Amino acid sequence: MSAAFYLCCSDMICKWESLVSKEGSIELDVWPYLQTLITEMISQTAFGSSYDEGRKIFELQREQAELVMKIALSSYIPGWR
């Protein structure tokens, strides 16, 4: 698994290096890259495929989690409050 982690991380770092200008610095929002990195690692180690192949499944899981949180926060249980 460590080899798969290494490949995923090195790919992300190569993408970051390609974004750096000739001046050598850039401001970068890393959150989307970290989300992609985590899903890529899960895909590689658990399923043996890339994140791009299972992108639709991960998007559906993220949407489902958001909907569950909305329902959990909006439901009323008598005596709960």
Side-chain angles (χ1 to χ4, degrees):
M1 287 191 341
S2 62
F5 289 167
Y6 172 77
L7 289 174
C8 294
C9 291
S10 66
D11 288 343
M12 182 182 67
I13 291 171
C14 287
K15 289 178 187 175
W16 287 358
E17 288 175 342
S18 68
L19 295 173
V20 174
S21 64
K22 293 178 183 176
E23 298 168 359
S25 65
I26 187 173
E27 186 172 329
L28 182 66
D29 181 19
V30 297
W31 182 247
Y33 290 99
L34 292 177
Q35 286 180 325
T36 304
L37 174 68
I38 292 168
T39 54
E40 184 72 37
M41 286 180 175
I42 293 170
S43 297
Q44 288 287 330
T45 56
F47 308 118
S49 66
S50 70
Y51 169 70
D52 292 330
E53 293 174 7
R55 181 182 305 261
K56 183 66 176 171
I57 293 171
F58 282 108
E59 289 174 2
L60 289 172
Q61 285 180 334
R62 183 177 302 135
E63 183 180 337
Q64 184 179 23
E66 290 172 2
L67 292 172
V68 166
M69 289 304 298
K70 282 183 183 178
I71 290 171
L73 294 174
S74 66
S75 62
Y76 175 73
I77 301 173
W80 184 264
R81 296 181 188 186

